[in-house]
Amino acid sequence: MNWSAVWTIYTAEMTRFFRTFVQSFISPVISTSLYFVVFGTAIGSRIQEVEGVSYAAFIVPGLIMLSVMTQAISNASFGIYFPKFTGTIYELLSAPINFFEIVLGYVGAAATKALFIGLVILATASFFIDLQIAHPFAMVAFLLLTCLSFALFGFIIGIWAGNFEQLQLIPLLVLTPLIFLGGAFYSITMLPDIWQKLSLFNPVVYLISGFRWSFYGAADVPIGLSLLAIAGFTGACLLIIGWIFKSGYRLKP
Amino acid sequence: MAIVEINDLKKIYEGGFQALKGVTLEIGEGEILALLGPNGAGKTTLISVLCGLVSPTGGHARIGGYDIVANYREARQLVGLVPQEIALEPFTKVIDAVRFSRGLFGLKRDDAHIERILKQLSLWDKRNNRTMQLSGGMKRRVLIAKALAHEPRVLFLDEPTAGVDVELRRDMWETVAQLKADGVTIILTTHYIEEAEAIADRIGVINKGALLLVEDKTALMERMSSKELRISLRAPVQSVPEALAGYGLDLADDGETLVYTYDTKGEGTGITALLADLASAGLKLADLKTNQSSLEDIFVGLTTDKAEDAA
Ligand SMILES: Nc1ncnc2c1ncn2[C@@H]1O[C@H](COP(=O)(O)OP(=O)(O)OP(=O)(O)O)[C@@H](O)[C@H]1O
Ligand SMILES: [Mg+2]
């Protein structure tokens, strides 16, 4: 293992993140606060408790998941796409490193950034509501796994993308709807029967439900299924990454 | 001793285009090899395969004795690459970009070494500039600094002086000479014959994916420095007269022309003596003409004739 190279990539990526620190830090704080004002106070006051907690508290896990997933994907996909775009990828390919080390550097950095933003949102939320976390270990595990798996997924998108449109395509067209329909802002038990059944095909439902369970002990789907879903997603991403490694897909002519 | 050994290296790109048709070449430690060839000859492809940017389709290559595929880590550790196209992250500072390169090769941070390189390339004053704030020539030097950050023993320079002004070109040649003095083996590609003449020890000519010639520069220059004197006679002769046997003359044009080959770099050309002896042998001259074969001629001849033969 060339750990020095992994660390070099990781710190270079983190430097870019902290160069825009104010933006990286302030924007999640502002958007979270806005969500609380709009959903927690304005709309939430008209909504009864959901699954035994106030609506404002109910949306916290979903809100964190929403940000963590989109941030992990956009950071990882941009992180590896940018060198392809500028041509500096030549340096990665001609250095004594393998694909796994490249993945570790970029995905590690993207996951760290997403985790950081998730924690910032959690801290912001604690100003608005009285947060309770029923299963802290499970909470951390879910958070870490989500950061990691979505960063892996973002990395795959970044390798695949041939232009900036493609880079945005999947997050915009696939992910955002899945997250919003995944019960970030409601419990799927509030939906009509047919929509409840359809929701079970949405993998994000399992992640948000599991994450919310770690806060409040209540879940839309069994917690075992949630764990299986996140493990399965991580496994699938790793398999695809392994295949890219073997075939040199989109990296080497 | 050969530090780069290339054996029947082939590359067929996706879509079936064969960019390398079995290149075999050895490059000695500490030598400077210039690869000359027209656009699309396969120079960049050859370098890219050796550096790991492009997967070879066939053949083998070793650097420092390490196979570029099987032992890629050891092989690449020895190699620095300056690509043909300028590629830099625009917002990164010069010094960070160079440190990054060193880190990728698994080496500890060494500020003294980085300072030495940046000074040598006249980039020290610009070390805290973002790369997008540099001129084209400076950017190219940043690429060289990055390639030297891990103290490579073999340096590939893909058209280092393309789009570079005359002064900077001379600077670049000096840098190359300095690197050679430090024991670095250098393979560079160029379109400029003068450049190859100025800095290379050996010159290779590549066209359409095939290496047409690799020769010592001095040997090549010797071929170049030979000149022909063509002497047209008023009346044809059957054979070269006895009295002129010492000049190694050839007969051409059915005996109407005598061809004398001489070395412009020799001590004397022998022309005065030859003309005197011609007169005393009773030959009358109609005309005199001289021809020089330059590297350019050799180059053009090679890249057109052989390509046509192959077609
Ligand atoms: N990725 C690729 N896919 C398909 N064909 C390619 C690819 N890269 C290069 N080629 C083709 O291979 C041939 C050799 O290209 P190469 O870049 O090696 O030439 P070169 O000698 O470096 O030329 P130049 O002097 O213009 O830089 C060209 O015909 C080119 O079109
Ligand atoms: Mg080229």
Side-chain angles (χ1 to χ4, degrees):
Chain A
M1 278 297 283
N2 184 346
W3 287 109
S4 155
V6 175
W7 181 245
T8 301
I9 295 172
Y10 181 86
T11 47
E13 282 297 290
M14 292 311 286
T15 308
R16 199 171 47 217
F17 178 62
F18 286 114
R19 196 156 53 216
T20 54
F21 182 73
V22 176
Q23 189 191 324
S24 321
F25 183 80
I26 298 290
S27 69
V29 171
I30 292 181
S31 62
T32 314
S33 306
L34 285 175
Y35 274 114
F36 278 115
V37 171
V38 174
F39 290 109
T41 321
I43 298 177
S45 61
R46 303 183 172 230
I47 299 178
Q48 304 280 306
E49 287 193 334
V50 186
E51 292 172 354
V53 294
S54 74
Y55 185 66
F58 178 83
I59 61 171
V60 172
L63 216 50
I64 294 176
M65 277 301 200
L66 172 70
S67 296
V68 161
M69 288 172 181
T70 48
Q71 287 290 332
I73 287 190
S74 72
N75 280 314
S77 61
F78 189 76
I80 187 65
Y81 179 74
F82 197 54
K84 286 205 306 179
F85 177 71
T86 58
T88 51
I89 187 100
Y90 86 86
E91 222 187 342
L92 295 173
L93 295 177
S94 61
I97 51 180
N98 66 23
F99 186 66
F100 180 64
E101 288 153 354
I102 297 177
V103 171
L104 219 55
Y106 281 101
V107 168
T112 310
K113 294 176 207 173
L115 180 67
F116 174 81
I117 284 163
L119 295 176
V120 167
I121 294 174
L122 193 64
T124 311
S126 69
F127 283 105
F128 290 88
I129 53 158
D130 185 19
L131 264 185
Q132 23 162 329
I133 300 172
H135 308 283
F137 285 116
M139 195 279 276
V140 171
F142 260 109
L143 193 58
L144 284 178
L145 269 177
T146 307
C147 289
L148 180 68
S149 57
F150 278 75
L152 284 170
F153 186 52
F155 188 88
I156 296 169
I157 293 175
I159 295 265
W160 163 79
N163 54 48
F164 276 104
E165 283 77 45
Q166 288 182 346
L167 198 62
Q168 309 286 2
L169 198 68
I170 290 186
L172 211 66
L173 247 51
V174 183
L175 210 74
T176 311
L178 282 185
I179 294 176
F180 273 89
L181 299 175
F185 300 108
Y186 56 86
S187 163
I188 61 166
T189 54
M190 294 155 89
L191 296 174
D193 205 39
I194 173 81
W195 286 106
Q196 270 192 46
K197 293 229 168 65
L198 277 177
S199 291
L200 295 179
F201 290 101
N202 178 357
V204 177
V205 164
Y206 297 87
L207 305 185
I208 293 181
S209 164
F211 194 51
R212 190 178 290 125
W213 169 85
S214 71
F215 279 77
Y216 308 123
D220 292 347
V221 293
I223 180 67
L225 273 184
S226 293
L227 277 173
L228 214 63
I230 185 81
F233 184 58
T234 313
C237 289
L238 284 174
L239 278 181
I240 297 175
I241 296 239
W243 173 78
I244 293 175
F245 176 42
K246 276 238 167 75
S247 65
Y249 172 74
R250 294 245 167 149
L251 277 175
K252 276 191 196 189
Chain B
M1 203 206 88
I3 190 161
V4 179
E5 302 154 84
I6 305 168
N7 193 352
D8 198 23
L9 203 61
K10 295 189 176 91
K11 176 63 192 179
I12 301 173
Y13 280 112
E14 214 170 299
F17 183 80
Q18 181 153 17
L20 292 180
K21 295 171 182 163
V23 171
T24 301
L25 173 65
E26 285 198 354
I27 301 160
E29 177 141 32
E31 88 170 326
I32 301 180
L33 176 79
L35 280 174
L36 279 167
N39 288 135
K43 303 182 294 294
T44 300
T45 302
L46 179 61
I47 288 182
S48 300
V49 171
L50 294 175
C51 293
L53 307 186
V54 168
S55 319
T57 315
H60 295 279
R62 293 200 293 179
I63 294 175
Y66 298 108
D67 188 275
I68 56 161
V69 176
N71 304 103
Y72 68 95
R73 278 191 207 265
E74 291 86 349
R76 289 183 199 170
Q77 193 71 42
L78 303 174
V79 172
L81 166 65
V82 179
Q84 181 172 1
E85 309 278 341
I86 290 177
L88 287 166
E89 296 215 338
F91 303 105
T92 309
K93 286 182 186 166
V94 169
I95 195 156
D96 291 336
V98 180
R99 283 192 188 129
F100 178 83
S101 306
R102 186 173 170 88
L104 275 188
F105 281 77
L107 299 183
K108 273 218 229 44
R109 191 169 149 163
D110 181 347
D111 287 341
H113 177 67
I114 305 270
E115 183 176 340
R116 200 159 49 241
I117 296 174
L118 288 179
K119 281 189 171 156
Q120 189 183 349
L121 291 163
S122 317
L123 284 169
W124 185 242
D125 294 339
K126 298 281 181 186
R127 65 187 177 281
N128 287 317
N129 282 51
R130 304 203 185 285
T131 59
M132 63 180 177
Q133 299 167 325
L134 302 179
S135 76
M138 291 174 189
K139 284 182 186 155
R140 200 168 277 288
R141 278 179 282 157
V142 173
L143 291 181
I144 298 181
K146 282 165 76 70
L148 294 176
H150 64 281
E151 302 157 53
R153 286 175 57 207
V154 182
L155 184 66
F156 290 94
L157 295 163
D158 200 352
E159 293 188 31
T161 57
V164 155
D165 68 26
V166 181
E167 196 182 342
L168 188 54
R169 177 166 300 161
R170 302 241 167 247
D171 284 355
M172 201 79 84
W173 293 354
E174 257 170 46
T175 307
V176 168
Q178 177 67 48
L179 288 167
K180 181 186 160 73
D182 294 342
V184 180
T185 305
I186 294 164
I187 294 96
L188 65 95
T189 71
T190 180
H191 290 139
Y192 306 111
I193 289 163
E194 321 86 84
E195 181 157 285
E197 276 185 31
I199 52 179
D201 298 321
R202 268 201 311 166
I203 294 176
V205 178
I206 183 170
N207 191 31
K208 302 196 174 172
L211 198 60
L212 303 180
L213 156 154
V214 195
E215 210 169 302
D216 263 9
K217 183 180 66 179
T218 37
L220 212 55
M221 300 288 282
E222 240 155 56
R223 267 213 262 162
M224 259 188 345
S225 66
S226 73
K227 244 180 155 177
E228 264 179 14
L229 174 65
R230 298 179 76 89
I231 304 158
S232 305
L233 303 174
R234 280 189 193 268
V237 291
Q238 295 298 313
S239 62
V240 178
E242 272 303 303
L244 302 172
Y247 292 99
L249 297 175
D250 290 319
L251 272 184
D253 300 335
D254 297 322
E256 287 185 11
T257 306
L258 290 171
V259 181
Y260 173 56
T261 311
Y262 61 97
D263 187 354
T264 51
K265 297 208 170 130
E267 288 177 358
T269 56
I271 293 177
T272 321
L274 173 63
L275 291 181
D277 286 349
L278 277 172
S280 49
L283 293 173
K284 293 244 177 337
L285 312 186
D287 198 6
L288 288 176
K289 216 165 55 180
T290 60
N291 275 331
Q292 178 160 33
S293 63
S294 69
L295 184 50
E296 190 107 32
D297 293 334
I298 296 175
F299 180 67
V300 170
L302 276 172
T303 50
T304 46
D305 298 354
K306 296 235 177 137
E308 273 155 21
D309 289 352

